Amino acid sequence: MAVRRSFKFLLRPTRKQVVALTACLADHQQLYNAALEHRRTAYRKAGVTVRYGEQSAELKHIRADDPGGQGRWSFSSQQATLRRLDKAFGAFFARVKAGLVPGFPRFKGRGRFDTVEWPKDGDGCRWDSQPGHPAATYVRLQGIGQVRVHQHRRVLGTVKTISVKREGRRWYVILSCDDVPAQPLPATGVAVGIDMGVAWLVTTSDGEHVANQRHLATCADRLAAAQRELSRKERGSHRRRKAVARVAALHAKVRRQRLDGAHKAALALVRAYDVIVHEALQVATMTRRAAPKPDGEGGWLPNGAAAKSGLNKSILDAGWGVFLTILSHKAESAGRELIAVNPANTSRTCAHCRHCAAENRVTQAEFRCTACGHTVHADVNAAINIFRAGLALRDAAEAA
Ligand SMILES: [Zn+2]
């Protein structure tokens, strides 16, 4: 069995290459914004919807007119940028159709455009472009040159797409690979149910807690404070620019912590269990929650504690989505079985006597059954119910 997987490595560009990488990113950003402007104007002035095909056909002229600028880069990476805009519009129209009121696709300002993708290895880019080099790995990027890669692990499978991403002052290359051989783990003979929570990312039906979310919540508090601070700064001021940088740095930190916690928790589960039952995420319920009001420039309108808890909650919620994605990749590669169950009533049903009542749940952490008096950690109780629901699903599927 083979799976798709991505590999991310730090780049070690020369000073000249940093200048070229920066220019490459800036030109792709300019292309994205110009194509967005084109679509908006056509729609406003003439009610016409411009499509990807038309914009892609224009690329030839744009490149010919600007050989020292847009003409320097790969045709394919520019097409990928236009496709990215097309995707943003596709998502926008899908949400309109669903009766939601989505924000119109936005212009990408400084620091909001950080990735260029080359959709095919060998087309404007080449992974491991100097395979004979005794000491280092290189990636060749059109218009930039041979950039040295800090390759800290082996790449498996076939390289499909190559992306370059800027994170703060660092540059990374991300390879998306197909046909990566799965690495099945030996069977353990044990199955488990997991509950995803606020204080702990995961609690198992065996009563174990995995990956503490308190770190993440602390960081989210600081992020909320930084965003309030940002909203008080005058537009275009030096202080505002500094505040924007601080918010971006905290966002990056939250992302790193979340990824790190999710990877560790997923790895521990996949190693220990053959079958993992989890609750299916209910995205609709999550988005119905009141959210903090954005001020339209990347900050948040002050609305006190509500904004804080809203942001905090949304960061933890987003963590569950990330965690489940990582868990499913690891489970697939390790040959483990994942079962998703409907989470309805799993947190209010007594795992001991099956009595179901909202009053059973005393606090966030404590479950005390009003019928039989059974007392247990609320997350463990939920995990046991999730586990049973998963086994019932599997039995039903086998019987059918
Ligand atoms: Zn009970």
Side-chain angles (χ1 to χ4, degrees), residues 369-384:
C369 180
T370 55
C372 76
H374 180 60
T375 307
V376 62
H377 191 290
D379 292 347
V380 176
N381 181 70
I384 293 171

Side-chain angles (χ1 to χ4, degrees), residues 353-370:
C353 75
R354 303 294 173 105
H355 175 62
C356 176
E359 294 73 36
N360 285 347
R361 184 130 189 192
V362 187
T363 61
Q364 183 72 37
E366 193 191 353
F367 185 96
R368 198 188 314 129
C369 180
T370 55

Side-chain angles (χ1 to χ4, degrees), residues 109-122:
R110 231 177 25 173
R112 294 261 162 191
F113 192 96
D114 53 16
T115 305
V116 173
E117 185 196 282
W118 287 261
K120 194 166 154 242
D121 185 19

Side-chain angles (χ1 to χ4, degrees), residues 224 228 291-293 300-312:
R228 281 197 298 276
K293 292 179 187 160
W300 304 87
L301 291 174
N303 79 2
K308 192 182 110 181
S309 65
L311 182 65
N312 227 325

Side-chain angles (χ1 to χ4, degrees), residues 15-29:
R15 230 180 261 177
K16 244 174 131 177
Q17 287 172 339
V18 169
V19 173
L21 283 167
T22 308
C24 178
L25 202 53
D27 281 351
H28 282 78
Q29 174 186 6

